[in-house]
């Protein structure tokens, strides 16, 4: 009898929740899905920017003008696919994505729902272009190419005095991420043109980061370059601690990693990346049309430095750099 009562209560609760969801959808309130591939304090800024743009455009949960469903896959591919399937079942108006893996999963599994990407490379870098050179018809939002990495990497040569005749820079990259591999190949070319010795070690997951970074630090590197990929974001505190312990400065191309302790960067502002994509999503909600939309290039990049890290290594930055304090 108790089991039957519990089962009946569960059915009633499910029916009630389903009815609430239907009432919202029938009332014309748009439901927005937002998926993040993994948990990360820096990456989370993209969601904050995305939601702020929607709010500034008149879409807010607090004003009951929108419902947003935020999900995080915690680095698990199966969970990521389940999240997209859930969004499909809810018939969300659009999907916001944060980082490459989330964007690819959404595009591949939700062909009829507009996808607004953040913290993701341009479609050509991801290998998402069709034979005619066009991006997926439901992919929009904001992307980044790799040109800004040039400025970020050459900054190391300007700031770091090598221990020997040739500057030696270490990095790790995820060999299973197209964006990470392409960034590594670009950096290798830059290093060669600068007569800089690049020592790069591959890995497949953030769980391997400590072992690989410690191995890299035995190569007598002068500096570490934090490549813009998911693995580096997820394992950054491990990377930073090991490098700091050995007196090796960490440079990067992401302002969020400077906030977390890297010395300096010229690169994307993650919050504004999300905000720019959110504005595009809000425009779609207002018009109901994607005719004028495409994946845009990121607008906001910054030259930033971390005062604590700069003091640790004795670097002084010009006024063209903004100071960012660690969280």
């Amino acid at each position: 009898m108790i089991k039957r009562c519990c089962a009946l209560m569960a059915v009633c609760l499910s029916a009630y929740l389903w009815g609430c969801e239907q009432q919202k959808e029938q009332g014309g309130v748009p439901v927005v899905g937002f998926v993040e591939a993994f948990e990360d304090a820096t990456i989370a800024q993209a969601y904050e920017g995305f939601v702020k743009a929607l709010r500034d455009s008149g879409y807010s949960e607090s004003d009951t003008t929108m419902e947003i469903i935020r999900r995080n896959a915690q680095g698990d591919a199966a969970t990521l696919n389940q999240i997209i399937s859930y969004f499909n079942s809810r018939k969300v108006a659009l999907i916001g994505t944060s980082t490459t893996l989330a964007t690819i999963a959404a595009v591949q599994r939700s062909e009829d729902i507009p996808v607004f990407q953040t913290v993701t490379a341009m479609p050509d870098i991801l290998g998402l272009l069709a034979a005619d050179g066009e991006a997926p018809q439901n992919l929009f939002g904001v992307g980044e190419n790799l040109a800004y990495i040039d400025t970020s990497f050459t900054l190391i040569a300007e700031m770091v005095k090598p221990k020997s005749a040739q500057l030696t820079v270490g990095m790790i990259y995820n060999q299973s991420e197209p964006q990470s591999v392409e960034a590594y190949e670009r950096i290798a070319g830059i290093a060669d043109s600068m007569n800089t010795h690049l020592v790069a070690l591959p890995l497949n997951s953030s769980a391997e980061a400590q072992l690989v970074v410690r191995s890299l630090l035995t190569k007598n590197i002068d500096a570490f370059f934090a490549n813009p990929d998911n693995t580096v974001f997820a394992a950054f505190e491990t990377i930073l601690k090991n490098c700091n312990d050995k007196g090796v400065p960490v440079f990067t191309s992401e302002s969020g990693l400077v906030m977390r302790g890297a010395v300096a960067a010229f690169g994307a502002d993650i919050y504004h990346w999300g905000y720019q994509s959110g504005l595009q999503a809000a425009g779609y909600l207002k018009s109901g049309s994607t005719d004028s939309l495409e994946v845009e290039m990121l607008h906001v990049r910054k030259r930033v430095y971390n005062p604590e890290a700069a003091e640790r290594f004795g670097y002084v930055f010009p006024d063209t750099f903004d100071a960012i304090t660690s969280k």
Side-chain angles (χ1 to χ4, degrees):
M1 180 65 71
I2 294 175
K3 289 183 178 179
R4 287 183 178 179
C5 289
C6 289
L8 180 60
M9 289 175 64
V11 170
C12 291
L13 179 60
S14 297
Y16 172 76
L17 293 174
W18 181 84
C20 289
E21 292 174 1
Q22 289 295 104
Q23 186 176 14
K24 285 183 178 179
E25 291 170 2
Q26 291 170 2
V29 176
V31 180
V32 173
F34 194 94
V35 57
E36 296 157 301
F38 58 92
E39 195 82 34
D40 181 85
T42 300
I43 299 302
Q45 296 172 41
Y47 172 77
E48 295 170 7
F50 192 88
V51 173
K52 181 63 163 60
L54 288 171
R55 187 162 58 246
D56 289 349
S57 302
Y59 296 98
S60 168
E61 282 200 303
S62 61
D63 295 336
T64 65
T65 52
M66 175 192 69
E67 177 188 357
I68 190 161
I69 306 171
R70 182 187 186 185
R71 294 289 186 270
N72 193 298
Q74 302 294 330
D76 184 76
T79 301
L80 185 56
N81 290 334
Q82 290 170 5
I83 291 169
I84 303 303
S85 295
Y86 175 67
F87 288 167
N88 290 337
S89 71
R90 284 294 309 272
K91 298 180 180 179
V92 297
L94 62 88
I95 298 174
T97 62
S98 184
T99 75
T100 301
L101 297 178
T103 299
I104 292 175
V107 169
Q108 291 178 340
R109 301 177 71 87
S110 297
E111 296 180 0
D112 298 325
I113 299 176
V115 174
F116 292 84
Q117 68 172 47
T118 69
V119 199
T120 304
M122 295 297 284
D124 60 316
I125 296 175
L126 301 181
L128 291 177
L129 298 186
D132 60 2
E134 295 295 320
Q137 62 180 3
N138 67 326
L139 181 59
F140 311 100
V142 181
E144 178 67 294
N145 61 20
L146 299 176
Y148 70 103
I149 288 181
D150 300 17
T151 304
S152 299
F153 191 80
T154 55
L155 179 62
I156 299 175
E158 296 172 14
M159 303 300 301
V160 179
K161 183 178 180 180
K163 303 183 188 76
S164 59
Q166 187 179 36
L167 179 67
T168 301
V169 179
M171 66 174 287
I172 60 176
Y173 66 98
N174 190 329
Q175 54 195 343
S176 63
E177 279 190 39
Q179 179 181 350
S180 183
V181 173
E182 185 149 345
Y184 156 64
E185 291 172 349
R186 186 179 187 93
I187 292 167
I190 298 167
D192 187 59
S193 68
M194 295 167 48
N195 193 31
T196 295
H197 180 45
L198 180 68
V199 182
L201 296 180
L203 74 172
N204 293 307
S205 72
S206 58
E208 302 172 10
Q210 177 150 293
L211 182 63
V212 175
V213 170
R214 285 183 174 177
S215 175
L216 190 65
L217 290 168
T218 65
K219 311 294 186 183
N220 200 35
I221 61 175
D222 297 302
F224 181 95
F225 184 74
N227 185 30
D229 69 32
N230 296 334
T231 303
V232 169
F233 278 120
F236 186 72
E237 276 63 38
T238 297
I239 294 168
L240 183 67
K241 183 181 185 308
N242 280 276
C243 287
N244 281 346
D245 287 347
K246 294 294 184 180
V248 173
V250 176
F251 289 79
T252 182
S253 57
E254 310 299 328
S255 61
L257 295 183
V258 174
M259 187 178 295
R260 290 165 67 180
V263 175
F266 171 71
D269 184 296
I270 302 296
Y271 177 87
H272 283 91
W273 199 333
Y275 191 91
Q276 185 181 338
S277 183
L279 286 178
Q280 208 185 80
Y284 166 71
L285 290 178
K286 287 180 182 295
S287 68
S289 172
T290 61
D291 289 348
S292 62
L293 301 180
E294 61 182 0
V295 180
E296 304 172 346
M297 280 292 297
L298 177 69
H299 293 163
V300 181
R301 300 182 186 87
K302 294 181 177 180
R303 286 177 170 83
V304 295
Y305 75 99
N306 185 302
E308 289 183 27
E311 183 178 3
R312 174 193 290 268
F313 293 101
Y315 300 139
V316 177
F317 288 87
D319 293 340
T320 53
F321 283 75
D322 295 329
I324 294 182
T325 55
S326 299
K327 280 190 173 181

